[in-house]
Every structure is written in C-alpha cells, then in structure tokens.
Amino acid sequence: MYTCGPTVYDYAHIGNFRAFLFEDLLKRWLEYHGYKVTHVMNLTDVDDKTIKGSQKQKIRLEEYTAHYTNAFYEDIKALNIKLADHYPKATSHIAEMVALVKTLIQKGYAYKSQDGSIYYAIGKFRDYGKLSHIKVAELQVGARVKTDEYTKEEAQDFALWKAWTREDGDVFWETELGKGRPGWHIECSAMSMRYLGETFDIHCGGVDNMFPHHENEIAQSESATGKIFVNYWLHNEHLLVEGRKMAKKFGNFYTLRDLLGKDYEPIAIRYLLLSTHYRAQLNFTFEALDAAGAAVERLRSFVRRLLYAQGNGSGGKVVELLSKVQEGFGGAMDDDLNVSVALAALFDFVREVNVLLEAGEVSRTEANDIDALMKRFDGVLGVIGEVAPQDVLSKEAEELIEKREKARKAKDWATADALRMRLSEMGVVLEDTAQGVRWRLVKKA
Ligand code: AMP
Ligand code: ZN
C-alpha cells in the first residue's frame, strides 16, 4: 500500500490528517483480517512549495524540511497512527527518478524542451485520463505545464525533470538528465515502485490528488513498465471546517498543533477525523470535537466498568451480543470501510452490555470475552488504549454514595442496598464505620 505523504513545507493540517487517518484505518482493517500490509508513505521534501519555503526563511532546503519532517513524526505519534514500513524521502531517491525518466525518453513518452526540462507527452499514452475521467481529445497537444499543481482544464504535457533556473538557488542535482530537479509526480512513481514493485495493490490519497498527481503517476509508471501500476485506488473526500473549505483566508485553518494548543485531546481528534466514511466530506466543528471526546470517554469507561464485573452470568445474552456486534461492526467495515455504521453498531453493543452490567448479570468470564473483543476493535480504531482501574472516585460514584447516605438516614434500607450493589459493580466497595462511610476501589478480580 502506497499513500501520498506530506509535503514537508509546513506543519500538517487537519485535512492532511483526515487523509492519513483514513489510510491508517484502512491498514488496520486489513490487518484485522490477517493481511500482512507493507505500507510506504513518501515524504515530499523537494518540490515547488518546499523550495519557496526554504528560500523565504533563508535556510538550506534540508534544514527546512527536516524541521517539518520531525514535526510530522511527532504528530502521527500523538494521533496514534501506526508507522509505515518505509518513509522514503524524495531527495534520497533521485537516482531512481532519473532512471525512470530515461526509460520514458527511450520509449518515446518523454521529450526535452528547449530550456532543458523534460516533459511527459500525455498524447502518447492512450489511457491518459482513465482515473480522473478527463477527455484527452480536448487537450492541446504539445502545450506544457511546469508547475507541480494545476487543474484539469490545464491538463498538458507535464514536467518530469525541471532544468535548473535561478529561482531554484542551490537546489539542483547534476545528473544524466542535466542540472535540475525532479517534478513532484515522478517522485511518487519512482518511490512506490522502488519499494513495492511495478504493480502493487493499493494507492491512496485525497481527492485533490486524483488529478493531476495520480493520473500522472499512472501515465509515468504504466508507460515505463507496460504493466498495471495499481490494482485499487482509494481517495478520501475533503475535510471542511464549519461547512467551508479550510483556508487561511477564511480564518478556519487548523494544524494539529493549533488544536493541541487549545488543549484538545489528540485521541478525540483522531476519533473525529476517522469517524466519517472516507468518501463523504467531513465537516469539522468544535461541537463535533467535543462529542468525539465524549464518545472516546464512553468507550473507555465501558472498558473500565468491565474490570469490576462479577455477576452470575447472563445466560447466553453476552454471547449473542458479541456475535451481533462482530457482524454489525465487521459487516460495515467490510462494506467499503463504512466506519460510521460500524461505530453505531459498537455503541449499540456498549449500551446493551451496560444494561446487563447494571443488572449484575455479567460474569468475569463474560467480561473477559467482551474485553478481548473491545481490544480487537481498538486494534482498528486506536482510541481506547490501556484502561486502568480507577484510583479516584468518579463523579457518578460520589453522587451514588451521597444518595445512599441519604437513604440510610431515612432508613430506606432497600434503596441503600441497591445503591451499594451499583457501586460495587463500579468497583467501589463501601464500609460503614463509626466515623461514617468509607470507600475503597477494588482491582480486577
Ligand atoms: P500534501 O501535504 O498537500 O501533499 O497532502 C497530503 C495529503 O493530504 C494528500 O493525500 C492530500 O490529498 C490530503 N489533503 C490535503 N488537504 C485535504 C483536506 N482538506 N481534506 C482531506 N485531505 C486533504
Ligand atoms: Zn504522491
């Protein structure tokens, strides 16, 4: 699996992380099914944007991109994104890019322009446009575009190798193709095939990358090898903020760091960014982020509650619920990664088991089975983590203790006993002493 990684010219924003989290979810779901996934994510550390950025700060390109690369690694750790097997940097794979461009020239798909840059002739590749469905007949043959990013309307021969110009400053390589630097698109073709072979299974990225980036990757790779480049393409839709495109000029642009600076929990951000189906637009709002934090907390307190279950057994009800949730969650995820439906099934399960826990029906063995399944699901979601027994009273427990005291004072023994039972299921054991009630928390049996 190859996923287009960050262009390390700035801190990654939450739209980027929507893409990276969808890819993380996909990988984890494949692993849940027992697939061994080899995952490659490139780091675009030389392109139009990185060069401009380093020049603005008047530092060397390597120094500039190293800063944002390190920040990226910190961010993915905070979001509990599983590490890829390889993070190739474009600047470390110039030789592979040069070799690929040479092949394209030999096969007649690429040509040198007057300024020494080398272009891909899109008119030569019969299948050009097959991914993004653009109509090549309308293209002006021979017209050229040198910038890395452009729209469908500007589809033209694109730069594989950009001859050095003064604006590039000290960023260039002396190669058989001349003095210059690679175009962005050839980077991903060269690095994906270097690590995954000429044909590989899955390639992901955001919809904004479908054209021109991925269209051009297909053209470059397939015309060079004569083989299918990628078996499955998956593109995530965009993240919007408060219903609008996220942009600095709208004042609704957030990096992960911006949100962490406002004291939002990274795992709540993770939950929010992965909980919408990847092919639907995701509207980020701060209410939704609060709700995501609450959802994570609900899952955690559920798992914590399991630690204290010591009922007599549910008479098969737990087994039934376990199989129902596996079907519900699994069926939805198998259906093109329909995570919102999967999560709904999970929360139904939590609610139904909570009823049994409340009634004191869940035995230790059943609780352990539930816990094991929650761990498997969390291997996919990555939001619960290790849940420790409580060492401080929850607000809920405090209120129940107070209520019980009131009931005792009113000599309502039935209510007092029922409340003691509730607390015991939450792991809170009460002792009535001459000095009043004392509580202690019991660990898992
Ligand atoms: P970049 O660093 O711009 O090359 O983008 C890295 C990844 O983030 C690519 O897969 C992009 O398609 C994706 N991406 C960029 N902006 C957004 C957004 N607003 N919503 C979702 N994905 C995005
Ligand atoms: Zn790419």
Side-chain angles (χ1 to χ4, degrees), residues 1-2 196 199-203 229-234:
M1 163 167 154
Y2 185 87
L196 296 171
T199 299
F200 57 92
D201 291 311
I202 299 171
H203 194 317
F229 176 45
V230 166
N231 291 328
Y232 300 97
W233 287 90
L234 285 84

Side-chain angles (χ1 to χ4, degrees), residues 53-229:
S54 67
Q55 287 172 345
K56 227 168 152 185
Q57 288 198 8
K58 297 195 168 57
I59 54 176
R60 288 182 59 79
L61 182 67
E62 300 82 46
E63 199 185 326
Y64 179 79
T65 56
H67 174 77
Y68 293 108
T69 302
N70 291 336
F72 171 70
Y73 286 130
E74 282 171 20
D75 287 355
I76 56 174
K77 192 166 177 207
L79 289 174
N80 196 23
I81 292 175
K82 279 190 158 188
L83 284 178
D85 299 87
H86 306 279
Y87 287 101
K89 287 181 185 177
T91 53
S92 309
H93 295 78
I94 302 294
E96 285 89 338
M97 297 167 202
V98 169
L100 190 52
V101 175
K102 275 176 65 189
T103 305
L104 290 171
I105 295 171
Q106 277 155 18
K107 295 200 170 184
Y109 290 99
Y111 62 91
K112 205 170 213 163
S113 72
Q114 276 188 337
D115 75 347
S117 293
I118 298 168
Y119 286 86
Y120 185 94
I122 59 174
K124 294 269 168 69
F125 184 56
R126 212 163 24 109
D127 283 338
Y128 194 82
K130 70 176 171 178
L131 181 71
S132 57
H133 305 296
I134 59 164
K135 293 184 187 67
V136 188
E138 293 164 15
L139 302 175
Q140 318 142 266
V141 173
R144 286 190 287 270
V145 51
K146 198 171 176 185
T147 50
D148 287 330
E149 289 179 272
Y150 50 91
T151 64
K152 273 190 198 181
E153 289 67 44
E154 300 164 291
Q156 293 171 351
D157 291 356
F158 60 90
L160 298 166
W161 185 258
K162 304 184 188 190
W164 182 83
T165 63
R166 200 166 300 166
E167 292 93 70
D168 290 336
D170 59 359
V171 180
F172 62 84
W173 285 262
E174 294 273 12
T175 72
E176 288 173 66
L177 304 176
K179 175 177 173 178
R181 62 179 171 103
W184 172 37
H185 315 297
I186 199 75
E187 296 182 6
C188 279
S189 279
M191 291 188 281
S192 59
M193 293 198 289
R194 155 75 174 75
Y195 291 91
L196 296 171
E198 292 178 339
T199 299
F200 57 92
D201 291 311
I202 299 171
H203 194 317
C204 304
V207 280
D208 56 308
N209 277 348
M210 191 188 286
F211 188 89
H213 188 50
H214 294 162
E215 195 67 65
N216 291 350
E217 279 186 48
I218 293 175
Q220 295 161 157
S221 305
E222 297 193 353
S223 52
T225 68
K227 294 180 186 152
I228 292 284
F229 176 45

Side-chain angles (χ1 to χ4, degrees), residues 266-295:
I267 294 303
I269 300 166
R270 173 181 173 91
Y271 183 96
L272 178 57
L273 295 184
L274 63 67
S275 57
T276 295
H277 188 264
Y278 73 96
R279 281 191 295 108
Q281 287 190 338
L282 189 162
N283 186 22
F284 178 95
T285 65
F286 284 94
E287 290 99 81
L289 185 51
D290 289 336

